[in-house]
Amino acid sequence: LANRDLNWERTSQFNIGLDLAVLNNRLSVELNYYQKYTRDGLIQVALGATTGFDNYWSNAAEISNKGFEFNIRSVNVNNKNIKWTTSFNVAQNINKIERLATPLQYGSRNLILQQEGSPLYSFWLYKQLYVDPQTGNAVYEDVNKDNAITAADRQVMGNIWPKFFGGISNELSWRNFDLGVFFSFQYGNDTYNHNRFFGEAGGARDAARVIFKNNLKRWQSPGDVTDVPRIDGINVLNYLDGGSRWLEDGSFLRLRNLTLGYTFPESLSKRLKLEKLRFYVTGSNLLLLTNYSGPDPESSANSSQNQPGIDLGTPPQPRSVQFGLHLSL
C-alpha cells in the first residue's frame, strides 16, 4: 500500500572517541561513545485485515540510540618464527521509541509491541506468576484487577536488544602454519521460544503434535511445585499464547570461525611458477554455549522484519567445514 507522504528519515548524531597506542603500537585501544536521534523514522503501521493489507510504511516514529564501543588489540608475541595478536571488542546500544502516536502490535499473535517509551521490538506478554500447587493451573498477573485474564493484562516484558555484545579473535602464526580463532557473544537479549508453546501442550491441541521434555516437569498431582501447568486442552490459560513462560534468555558465546592454514615453502611455489601457495581448512559455527533451550538463540534472525526475536521452527545456523587452496600468481 503506497504512502505518497513518505519522507527521508532525518538523523542527528554526536560522537566522542579516544584512540590510544603504546609500546610501539603493540597495544592499541579505541573507545567511542555516541548518541543518535532519528526523526520521521520509517515504521510499518499495522492495518486491519478488512483493508486487504497487513501494513503500510509511514514516517511515524522518533527513535533514539545511544551507547559505546570499546576495542583493544595487542601484539602478544612478535618474532621471527611466532606472531600472536589478540583483538577484543564489546559494545552496548540502548534503543528507545521517543515518539509514537499509537502503539502498534505485530504478527497474528501480537507478540511484538511498539510503543512510546519502550525499545523497538519489545515483547508484549501475559506474566505468569506461578502454577497453583493444588490445581495445577497457571496463574497470571491481573494487571487491571478485573478478576479476568484478557488482552488488557498484557505488559512489556523484555526485548531483543542485548545489554552487551562483541567478540574476541586470536591470530597465531608459527613458521609456515597460521591459526585464526573468532568468538562472538551476546548477553542479556531475550528470545521468545514459540516452539515450546506448541510442544508443551503435549498434543492436547490440534496444532501440537510433538511433546517437549519440559512436559516431564509438568504438574501431575496436588502438592507438585513447578512452573509447567497440567496438560489440559480445555483450560486455555494453562497454555496461553503470549505467556511469559516461553520468554528465554538468548545470551550466547559462539565459536564463529576457526581457520588453520599452511603456506608451502617458497621453493615449491617457485617450482610451480606461483608467488604463493597456501592450503587451509575453515570451520564455522563449531561450538555454541547458551542456556537457551531451543536449537539456536540466533535463529530468530530469519523471522519477518517486524517480528525478530521469535523462534518458530526456524532452522539453526548450520555448522560447516570448508577446505581451500589459495594460489597467488
Side-chain angles (χ1 to χ4, degrees):
L1 182 64
N3 179 1
R4 296 182 180 180
D5 295 325
L6 281 182
N7 300 310
W8 293 103
E9 292 183 340
R10 296 180 296 132
T11 298
S12 57
Q13 184 164 328
F14 166 80
N15 290 71
I16 184 170
L18 170 69
D19 292 343
L20 176 68
V22 296
L23 303 176
N24 293 324
N25 291 321
R26 293 194 63 166
L27 180 65
S28 58
V29 176
E30 297 178 8
L31 178 63
N32 181 48
Y33 174 79
Y34 64 90
Q35 292 183 350
K36 181 179 179 181
Y37 197 94
T38 300
R39 295 172 176 82
D40 293 333
L42 287 168
I43 196 169
Q44 286 184 295
V45 178
L47 291 174
T50 55
T51 64
F53 296 92
D54 293 330
N55 50 64
Y56 71 98
W57 286 98
S58 176
N59 298 98
E62 293 187 10
I63 302 167
S64 67
N65 288 276
K66 62 181 179 180
F68 74 90
E69 299 168 343
F70 174 77
N71 300 277
I72 183 169
R73 181 178 183 272
S74 64
V75 180
N76 307 311
V77 180
N78 189 12
N79 57 44
K80 182 179 180 181
N81 293 321
I82 301 176
K83 184 174 183 180
W84 174 27
T85 62
T86 300
S87 299
F88 172 77
N89 69 85
V90 63
Q92 179 189 55
N93 181 71
I94 300 174
N95 176 277
K96 183 180 179 182
I97 301 176
E98 300 289 348
R99 292 189 61 186
L100 184 63
T102 304
L104 303 172
Q105 300 91 37
Y106 292 101
S108 61
R109 303 170 189 271
N110 294 333
L111 298 177
I112 296 291
L113 176 70
Q114 314 281 43
Q115 71 174 6
E116 193 171 294
S118 297
L120 281 167
Y121 312 120
S122 295
F123 293 106
W124 195 42
L125 308 174
Y126 301 94
K127 184 178 181 180
Q128 179 179 312
L129 301 176
Y130 58 91
V131 172
D132 189 327
Q134 298 305 312
T135 65
N137 292 331
V139 178
Y140 298 89
E141 183 174 357
D142 185 6
V143 175
N144 61 0
K145 309 301 181 183
D146 65 351
N147 296 318
I149 300 301
T150 65
D153 297 309
R154 286 191 171 199
Q155 53 187 296
V156 170
M157 296 187 64
N159 56 75
I160 68 168
W161 302 96
K163 295 178 181 178
F164 299 99
F165 59 95
I168 182 169
S169 65
N170 281 276
E171 296 180 1
L172 178 67
S173 62
W174 175 71
R175 295 184 177 178
N176 289 26
F177 291 94
D178 60 89
L179 176 68
V181 184
F182 173 55
F183 286 90
S184 65
F185 66 88
Q186 283 189 184
Y187 170 74
N189 55 296
D190 296 308
T191 298
Y192 195 80
N193 192 341
H194 214 182
N195 302 303
R196 285 179 52 204
F197 162 72
F198 292 104
E200 288 182 12
R205 292 186 171 188
D206 290 339
R209 299 303 183 194
V210 295
I211 297 177
F212 274 37
K213 66 179 181 180
N214 270 8
N215 287 109
L216 298 174
K217 301 191 301 179
R218 72 189 185 280
W219 184 95
Q220 299 180 61
S221 59
D224 287 348
V225 177
T226 178
D227 64 343
V228 181
R230 61 192 174 99
I231 294 178
D232 188 349
I234 298 176
N235 187 344
V236 295
L237 289 182
N238 282 343
Y239 294 93
L240 185 61
D241 200 356
S244 63
R245 187 163 82 250
W246 298 291
L247 186 67
E248 300 187 31
D249 179 9
S251 304
F252 67 86
L253 174 67
R254 184 190 294 273
L255 178 54
R256 187 76 63 180
N257 186 272
L258 175 66
T259 299
L260 176 64
Y262 176 77
T263 301
F264 289 91
E266 187 176 347
S267 57
L268 176 61
S269 300
K270 287 184 176 180
R271 210 179 312 165
L272 298 174
K273 298 183 178 179
L274 297 172
E275 182 179 331
K276 184 179 180 180
L277 178 62
R278 176 175 175 266
F279 172 79
Y280 64 91
V281 56
T282 297
S284 300
N285 301 319
L286 298 179
L287 176 67
L288 175 64
L289 301 178
T290 181
N291 289 325
Y292 179 63
S293 67
D296 190 337
E298 287 189 290
S299 63
S300 61
N302 295 323
S303 300
S304 68
Q305 177 177 343
N306 289 322
Q307 300 183 74
I310 299 176
D311 184 4
L312 181 56
T314 309
Q317 297 187 52
R319 293 186 179 94
S320 65
V321 178
Q322 297 178 338
F323 298 88
L325 198 61
H326 182 198
L327 296 84
S328 297
L329 301 177

